[in-house]
Amino acid sequence: PPSPTIDLLTFPSIFAGRNRPLVPCKSCTSLRSLPMAQEKIRHSVRSQEQIVLEGVQQDAQLWHGREAAVDTVRQYVEQTEANAAKGTLGMVQGVIFPCMGNILGVILFLRGPWIVGKAGILEGFGVGAVCCTCTFLTTLSLSAIATNGKIAGGGAYYLISRSLGPALGAGVGLCFYMANSIGAAMYFMGCVEAWEIAQPEYQIGVIGDLNNVRFTGYVILAFAVLIILGGIKYVSRLGSVFLMVVLLVILCMYIGCLMGPTDNAPAEFEVQMTRPDGDSFAKLLSWTGPSAKNFRENLHSAWDADQGAFPSDTTEYSFVNMMGLYFPSVTGIMAGANRSADLKDPASSIPKGTLIAQISTSIIYLSFIFVFGSIASRETLLNDKFFASTSAFPVKEVVIYGVMASSMGAGLNSLVSGTRLLSAIAGDGTLPILRVFRAAPGKEPRLALFASGALCAASITIGELNAIAPMLTMFFLMCYTCVNLSCTILEGVGDPNWRPGFRFHHWSISLVAALLCVWMMFAMAPLTAIFAILFCLVIFAYAAYNSANAKWGDGFQGMKFQVAKNMLKSLDMKSHTKNWRPQLLVITETMLTKKPGSASMSIEFCDPEILKTASQLKNGRGFIVLGGICSTQGDKVLGNNGLFMSEDMQRQVAEGQAAVKDLLTRYEIDGFGKIVYTDDFSAGLADLVQCTGIGAFEPNCMLASWPEHALADGKKGVETRTHLVHMVQISVIFQKVMMLAKGSKWPEFADRLTGTIDIWWIVGDGGVLLLLPFLLKKHRVWGGCHTRLFVLADRLGDDVERMQQELDMFVRDFRLNIEVHIKVIDGVVEGVAGEKVDDPPPDDVVPDESGPGTLKDNPFTEQSVKSLHSFQEKLSKWRNRQMGMGEAPPVRTTSFDSQGSGHVRRIESMRSLLAGGVSTRSFPTAPPGKDYFESNAMTDPGPGGGKTRSASKEKGQRSAIPSIDELAFDDAPAPSSADMPRQTSKESYASERGGHARTLFLRDARQLTATTRCSSDELSLVTTLNKLMLEESRGSELVCTNLPDMPHGESAYGYCQLVDAMTRDFKRVMMVRGTASEVITAFT
């Protein structure tokens, strides 16, 4: 059956966003957009229905007014045409001529015959082949980079820095700048040598003397600087003229060498030479033209042969260090890339033109090795310092003055390139020390020119071209190494943006070229190579420190990604005790608030000061994640009028991430940040803890502030306590160390504290409490503080002398610089011992719930009428409950005439701090075995973590973390005891615990909404403990102690009362709840 006909005119809403009208096509029944001649029509095979590909924009309703694909393309083309550089040069004028002009330099004319005399034809050809191969392979890499995207102005430095990144790009760019400036000095000195031969009577000093070379070189440099000050653009235009001069000189050399001796170039001639004592004498030399005899004589090397052309050069040459002298002659392949802003089509002209220039000049260089070795004896090649002019046609002055002109032009171009390069580096801002050389838009970089001239003058001071060339080689090789390395990295990491249009490239070519460059550097001069690498590393480190805001995108980002991925995969998820380190997840609540005078919202952090604590705890380093939880207080984020249903939300999310970054910077934290948007705080917190981190880089500690409204009434108080208890509960479930900071604001970063940090160690839950002061003291704020450890001892129940010996060994073996104080307790707790109390329990005490259908009494009902014999016995029971044990075994009854309360003694180690009913463990005498390591890994479930939870699941016990929707946020009376199950006996509580060392922090959701005051027993205990602690630590800068567990049957309100009473009147308190897994070890 025929396909149904769809009349698009009947659906105006679908095409409501079109710009041009649609009219019926004359040749068929479908529609066509005008103008018809410009439209592309494709006919469907099934229905022969014409589909308009252009001329119709996407529907504004269906696609929410997003830009049509064809408009995106058109906009790109228009922007490209508008911003395109108005280059006018083609490949020949813009690339080939500049490259050939820089490559064909003074080394060929002034040192070419001498190098053949030393190295011979075979090894000389080997030297040239290695150098030309290095530049050829580098040209292939440069061509790949040049075709990997559009090239803006900036030339070779732009290519390097945008490929390698701002940091390494600055280091390589500075090496390239120094190579250009030193290269200018080499060209000017070559010009001086030619001038000495051309006009020996018109010299500033004595011919051959270093001072003559220096002073004449300074004059030429000054003249060059004045020319450049007149206009850099005029120097660039003279490049083609200088190249024509060079090509003319080379042609005259070829003709003269092949023709042999003539009247103007006789077979025998005299040269003036200088003896080591300074006397001058004339020496008769000869040449024959192409000769088999000369070819055989010069075929092999003669490194030890005497030479008189350059008497001041006493270097013992070999194959490798001859490469250092020869290599600068083949450089200059980046001259075309330096003119990228002047090219019509840089991506096409740079690869082709550079390859043509490199290959043609390599042929010239290698051919002259055979030519020079065939036309003269070794004696002539080693003693005539300018044999290239002696054998030239028609007269030697053509070559002499031609070399002077070409050297002057090459020096000018090198000086201009160095000036522009320094200005470009300064303009990028990656090296702030060079910002003074930045040129204003449209202005000539005069300061950069003077800096380049100063470096060139310093190089001329050396006075010997043979000494400058190896130095120049190092800088060029460093630059070429990094160019090749960047191609290898970009290809190796599989960067999606690496899509070069140059076909004749492979990563192995760049790798071989990079290795060849490195080998040449170390083979020629190992110490100089090390110095060049160190120079680059120093510049790299300095630029990396100052280029954080440079977002160019580079291949090293992909390499870092691959390295990070491989490292994460190789890191052991089960961290050994000795490798444990705190990885902080800083918890803070965020709010969406209206901006003043605007209807838009902004992100506000409720407690940013906690970041000060995190920064000082980790000294600004380590793995720190700022976790902000933005809760809608029950409203669905994807519901009507929800956060994610707002058009402004996308911008607000971006602003929130920017605010996180600003906070981390303000508090000197080099970490990460994440904001979670959620319907409910507790659900968002659970998501944040579970999703933060990857692999071994998961936070193992949670840090938060003690809430200000923990004891508030009404809905605000219930919400605050619920968030607090849920946070601790989540830390228990996911085996995270929980740290709560309470008290005054933490010191500013400019403060320097000199007080004490006191540790009140009640529960030994992994040793993290002892580690925190050690970490804090690494920060400059806390570095001057003194750490004290307080241990409670009972006059009647504890052997203080034994505790003293145990603490002595513990502190020594664990390498803790802590002063230990034993706090000896006398007497009983007032109001607890004595007559039994018959007060009935409050009606709204929330009982423990261990399983469905189990009835338990309030554990404090029975204990509140029982007399305790001492504070230590009560504290032991409380401490045992924190460790998850049942009723404490009988206390030790060893009698000891202890010192009075307040006795202080310096101790250095112990075996166990769980005195007063908890049996002590013998300190190990050998390193722990494998089983010990596995049981103490931070990622282990911990005592009671595996078996107990499995049993709970089998019983069908529901989760202990209720949703916020389960809580009553009204001010109605809390549930009464008559409505909830009760504990039948204390024995059932003990049996329910089953001897496991750790259970959940919260066991009944009804504890969250109950407002029962804290049990008098518990409150009496912590109040007395607070008084004891205040006696020693009232003036301490920080008190670190264990975070109490939530008593079974206690309300959240009562628990907050308990913690508040325990930590009252201290300046600052850090409460810690560990995971019972050891985080410190005595073993190396």
Side-chain angles (χ1 to χ4, degrees):
S3 301
T5 302
I6 301 176
D7 185 5
L8 297 182
L9 293 176
T10 61
F11 297 95
S13 62
I14 297 181
F15 294 96
R18 63 179 181 264
N19 284 338
R20 290 178 287 178
L22 296 175
V23 298
C25 179
K26 296 180 180 179
S27 61
C28 57
T29 59
S30 61
L31 298 177
R32 187 177 182 118
S33 176
L34 294 179
M36 298 174 60
Q38 299 179 2
E39 299 303 327
K40 298 179 182 178
I41 310 269
R42 179 179 298 166
H43 292 270
S44 172
V45 177
R46 287 187 56 192
S47 62
Q48 297 299 316
E49 190 178 78
Q50 291 186 355
I51 302 174
V52 179
L53 298 184
E54 292 185 5
V56 180
Q57 294 184 354
Q58 273 75 357
D59 174 28
Q61 297 179 11
L62 183 61
W63 303 110
H64 297 283
R66 283 181 288 174
E67 188 176 48
V70 292
D71 288 343
T72 301
V73 175
R74 185 174 297 112
Q75 183 178 359
Y76 166 76
V77 173
E78 291 174 354
Q79 290 179 352
T80 302
E81 292 176 350
N83 299 328
K86 306 301 181 181
T88 58
L89 297 179
M91 180 179 67
V92 175
Q93 291 285 338
V95 181
I96 296 179
F97 282 2
C99 285
M100 292 186 67
N102 277 266
I103 295 174
L104 298 173
V106 295
I107 297 295
L108 173 64
F109 309 119
L110 297 177
R111 296 296 184 271
W114 185 84
I115 291 174
V116 175
K118 277 283 187 182
I121 295 174
L122 290 180
E123 292 191 42
F125 182 82
V127 169
V130 170
C131 295
C132 291
T133 301
C134 180
T135 55
F136 174 74
L137 297 179
T138 304
T139 301
L140 296 179
S141 299
L142 181 65
S143 300
I145 295 177
T147 56
N148 188 50
K150 295 183 67 64
I151 302 176
Y157 169 70
Y158 181 88
L159 294 177
I160 296 171
S161 61
R162 269 55 178 180
S163 298
L164 298 175
L168 193 56
V172 177
L174 206 57
C175 284
F176 194 35
Y177 155 73
M178 297 185 72
N180 276 278
S181 299
I182 297 174
M186 184 187 71
Y187 288 120
F188 293 150
M189 292 171 64
C191 185
V192 173
E193 288 191 10
W195 174 253
E196 287 182 337
I197 296 174
Q199 299 293 336
E201 65 276 8
Y202 296 105
Q203 302 295 321
I204 298 177
V206 180
I207 294 178
D209 185 47
L210 291 181
N211 289 328
N212 184 62
V213 176
R214 291 166 181 160
F215 290 125
T216 309
Y218 294 152
V219 172
I220 295 176
L221 173 61
F223 180 67
V225 171
L226 291 175
I227 294 176
I228 297 174
L229 285 175
I232 291 180
K233 59 183 179 180
Y234 301 110
V235 176
S236 302
R237 294 174 182 175
L238 291 175
S240 299
V241 176
F242 291 129
L243 176 62
M244 294 300 105
V245 174
V246 171
L247 293 178
L248 176 62
V249 169
I250 292 175
L251 179 62
C252 293
M253 290 169 58
Y254 271 124
I255 296 175
C257 291
L258 296 177
M259 288 180 57
T262 63
D263 294 338
N264 293 325
E268 294 184 351
F269 58 94
E270 288 186 353
V271 294
Q272 293 295 322
M273 301 183 62
T274 304
R275 292 189 178 93
D277 57 3
D279 294 338
S280 298
F281 67 98
K283 185 176 181 65
L284 184 65
L285 300 175
S286 64
W287 69 291
T288 63
S291 167
K293 177 182 178 182
N294 292 332
F295 187 88
R296 288 192 301 270
E297 179 186 347
N298 296 327
L299 185 62
H300 300 287
S301 62
W303 301 112
D304 297 330
D306 293 334
Q307 62 89 18
F310 309 104
S312 59
D313 185 7
T314 58
T315 305
E316 295 182 0
Y317 284 96
S318 63
F319 182 88
V320 291
N321 58 13
M322 186 60 75
M323 289 189 302
L325 177 61
Y326 191 86
F327 188 79
S329 65
V330 298
T331 60
I333 57 175
M334 293 186 178
N338 287 336
R339 298 193 177 192
S340 59
D342 300 326
L343 299 176
K344 291 180 181 178
D345 186 6
S348 175
S349 299
I350 290 176
K352 296 178 182 178
T354 306
L355 279 172
I356 292 173
Q358 197 279 331
I359 294 173
S360 59
T361 52
S362 296
I363 293 174
I364 293 173
Y365 274 115
L366 296 178
S367 64
F368 266 112
I369 292 175
F370 291 97
V371 170
F372 289 142
S374 302
I375 64 174
S377 64
R378 190 182 300 274
E379 181 185 22
T380 301
L381 297 177
L382 292 178
N383 290 282
D384 186 358
K385 65 187 306 182
F386 207 168
F387 179 72
S389 65
T390 302
S391 59
F393 174 85
V395 291
K396 66 178 182 180
E397 284 76 15
V398 174
V399 174
I400 293 175
Y401 289 107
V403 169
M404 289 180 59
S406 64
S407 299
M408 188 67 183
L412 283 171
N413 283 325
S414 295
L415 205 58
V416 169
S417 296
T419 299
R420 286 178 169 175
L421 195 55
L422 181 60
S423 179
I425 297 173
D428 279 340
T430 53
L431 298 175
I433 196 173
L434 300 179
R435 285 177 182 170
V436 65
F437 301 113
R438 178 173 50 191
K443 300 293 184 180
E444 297 287 351
R446 299 185 184 277
L447 288 178
L449 173 61
F450 293 143
S452 300
L455 180 58
C456 182
S459 303
I460 292 175
T461 305
I462 297 176
E464 180 59 55
L465 190 147
N466 289 13
I468 288 182
M471 185 190 310
L472 184 61
T473 297
M474 285 297 168
F475 287 111
F476 273 118
L477 285 175
M478 274 297 303
C479 184
Y480 293 171
T481 298
C482 293
V483 170
N484 291 298
L485 190 61
S486 67
C487 286
T488 305
I489 292 173
L490 290 169
E491 185 75 30
V493 300
D495 197 325
N497 191 53
W498 177 245
R499 303 185 302 275
F502 186 68
R503 295 181 300 167
F504 307 102
H505 173 263
H506 191 264
W507 65 268
S508 58
I509 296 176
S510 298
L511 180 61
V512 170
L515 294 176
L516 179 60
C517 292
V518 173
W519 172 77
M520 291 176 65
M521 290 173 61
F522 281 91
M524 289 184 292
L527 292 179
T528 308
I530 294 174
F531 169 77
I533 293 174
L534 290 177
F535 174 79
C536 267
L537 290 177
V538 170
I539 298 300
F540 171 79
Y542 180 61
Y545 180 78
N546 295 283
S547 61
N549 295 325
K551 305 298 182 183
W552 297 340
D554 56 87
F556 273 87
Q557 292 297 325
M559 186 184 69
K560 292 174 186 177
F561 175 82
Q562 293 292 339
V563 171
K565 184 191 73 173
N566 294 335
M567 291 295 293
L568 280 174
K569 291 173 64 177
S570 64
L571 284 175
D572 190 1
M573 290 285 291
K574 284 191 171 185
S575 176
H576 186 274
T577 304
K578 68 176 66 175
N579 301 123
W580 188 91
R581 63 190 63 210
Q583 298 174 174
L584 295 181
L585 173 59
V586 184
I587 307 295
T588 180
E589 191 171 359
T590 63
M591 298 175 59
L592 284 173
T593 59
K594 285 189 176 183
K595 294 181 179 179
S598 173
S600 60
M601 308 290 285
S602 63
I603 297 292
E604 179 180 341
F605 289 83
C606 298
D607 185 28
E609 286 293 316
I610 190 63
L611 283 174
K612 196 185 301 180
T613 307
S615 178
Q616 295 175 15
L617 182 62
K618 295 284 288 182
N619 198 17
R621 298 189 297 267
F623 186 75
I624 302 179
V625 179
L626 169 60
I629 303 175
C630 185
S631 172
T632 59
Q633 306 297 332
D635 295 334
K636 301 297 183 183
V637 293
L638 288 172
N640 290 334
N641 299 322
L643 284 179
F644 293 170
M645 302 298 289
S646 169
E647 295 183 357
D648 295 333
M649 191 58 203
Q650 184 176 2
R651 177 182 52 79
Q652 292 169 4
V653 169
E655 289 181 356
Q657 296 303 324
V660 168
K661 184 178 180 180
D662 293 341
L663 269 181
L664 293 174
T665 303
R666 185 193 313 167
Y667 289 98
E668 301 180 5
I669 294 179
D670 187 15
F672 308 91
K674 179 183 292 185
I675 296 181
V676 175
Y677 299 89
T678 178
D679 306 337
D680 174 69
F681 178 90
S682 299
L685 177 61
D687 294 341
L688 180 65
V689 173
Q690 293 179 79
C691 298
T692 300
I694 181 173
F697 279 85
E698 290 186 0
N700 53 27
C701 300
M702 295 167 57
L703 174 64
S705 295
W706 180 261
E708 181 181 354
H709 304 289
L711 297 177
D713 297 329
K715 178 179 178 180
K716 181 65 175 179
V718 173
E719 286 182 346
T720 302
R721 292 187 290 272
T722 299
H723 295 170
L724 171 65
V725 174
H726 280 176
M727 183 161 48
V728 183
Q729 178 82 337
I730 289 172
S731 72
V732 173
I733 292 175
F734 293 105
Q735 287 288 289
K736 313 289 186 185
V737 175
M738 186 69 237
M739 293 184 286
L740 290 173
K742 184 175 183 289
S744 304
K745 287 186 177 181
W746 279 58
E748 300 296 334
F749 294 111
D751 296 340
R752 300 294 182 268
L753 304 182
T754 57
T756 60
I757 302 175
D758 290 348
I759 307 171
W760 286 86
W761 202 11
I762 302 172
V763 178
D765 56 354
V768 65
L769 201 62
L770 302 179
L771 195 60
L772 290 182
F774 170 78
L775 297 174
L776 273 175
K777 290 183 65 176
K778 287 179 174 292
H779 196 275
R780 59 185 182 274
V781 172
W782 299 87
C785 291
H786 182 62
T787 306
R788 302 186 299 179
L789 172 65
F790 288 91
V791 180
L792 297 176
D794 187 16
R795 167 188 284 271
L796 301 178
D798 287 321
D799 188 342
V800 179
E801 184 175 0
R802 181 181 176 183
M803 290 180 64
Q804 182 176 318
Q805 296 172 354
E806 292 172 342
L807 285 165
D808 192 16
M809 179 168 46
F810 186 90
V811 175
R812 181 182 64 248
D813 291 345
F814 280 78
R815 307 173 306 281
L816 298 173
N817 185 20
I818 297 176
E819 177 183 317
V820 182
H821 297 247
I822 298 180
K823 184 73 172 177
V824 181
I825 305 168
D826 296 314
V828 297
V829 181
E830 182 180 357
V832 176
E835 302 298 328
K836 66 187 253 180
V837 181
D838 295 325
D839 294 338
D843 289 338
D844 57 351
V845 171
V846 181
D848 174 45
E849 180 185 318
S850 59
T854 303
L855 300 178
K856 290 183 178 289
D857 292 328
N858 179 12
F860 300 117
T861 303
E862 182 177 354
Q863 293 181 13
S864 62
V865 296
K866 180 178 179 181
S867 175
L868 299 179
H869 296 88
S870 72
F871 172 75
Q872 181 64 27
E873 181 180 353
K874 175 63 178 175
L875 182 62
S876 297
K877 288 179 176 289
W878 184 72
R879 183 161 46 195
N880 293 338
R881 188 182 72 239
Q882 303 299 317
M883 292 300 296
M885 300 179 181
E887 185 178 359
V891 299
R892 292 180 295 183
T893 57
T894 304
S895 176
F896 182 76
D897 188 14
S898 65
Q899 294 84 346
S901 177
H903 168 71
V904 177
R905 183 130 185 199
R906 175 67 181 269
I907 306 295
E908 293 184 354
S909 99
M910 66 172 290
R911 289 184 184 158
S912 174
L913 288 175
L914 296 181
V918 181
S919 58
T920 59
R921 297 179 296 172
S922 299
F923 195 85
T925 58
K930 179 181 178 182
D931 295 338
Y932 178 88
F933 290 155
E934 292 179 352
S935 65
N936 282 317
M938 279 304 298
T939 53
D940 283 353
K947 190 174 180 181
T948 304
R949 283 193 281 273
S950 298
S952 298
K953 283 187 176 182
E954 292 174 2
K955 292 180 182 179
Q957 180 176 345
R958 67 183 180 85
S959 171
I961 306 181
S963 168
I964 200 72
D965 297 331
E966 298 180 45
L967 305 178
F969 280 145
D970 54 17
D971 295 328
S976 65
S977 58
D979 299 329
M980 292 179 284
R982 299 181 63 83
Q983 183 175 349
T984 56
S985 66
K986 189 163 80 173
E987 287 72 24
S988 64
Y989 161 73
S991 64
E992 185 271 341
R993 295 302 297 267
H996 292 295
R998 189 71 66 171
T999 63
L1000 296 177
F1001 183 79
L1002 174 70
R1003 301 185 61 84
D1004 193 318
R1006 290 168 292 183
Q1007 293 175 267
L1008 299 173
T1009 55
T1011 56
T1012 311
R1013 299 181 65 83
C1014 181
S1015 164
S1016 59
D1017 247 359
E1018 298 287 343
L1019 199 58
S1020 175
L1021 170 66
V1022 297
T1023 301
T1024 306
L1025 181 60
N1026 175 260
K1027 292 180 179 178
L1028 292 172
M1029 295 165 66
L1030 284 173
E1031 289 180 6
E1032 303 293 340
S1033 306
R1034 183 181 294 273
S1036 298
E1037 296 293 345
L1038 177 65
V1039 172
C1040 299
T1041 188
N1042 297 102
L1043 175 69
D1045 272 1
M1046 192 170 183
H1048 289 267
E1050 190 66 81
S1051 68
Y1053 182 87
Y1055 173 71
C1056 290
Q1057 275 190 315
L1058 181 145
V1059 175
D1060 185 70
M1062 176 179 167
T1063 57
R1064 189 171 298 158
D1065 296 331
F1066 292 113
K1067 182 181 292 186
R1068 300 179 193 90
V1069 181
M1070 178 68 77
M1071 294 173 285
V1072 181
R1073 190 187 194 279
T1075 60
S1077 296
E1078 296 295 333
V1079 300
I1080 58 173
T1081 178
F1083 301 101
T1084 183

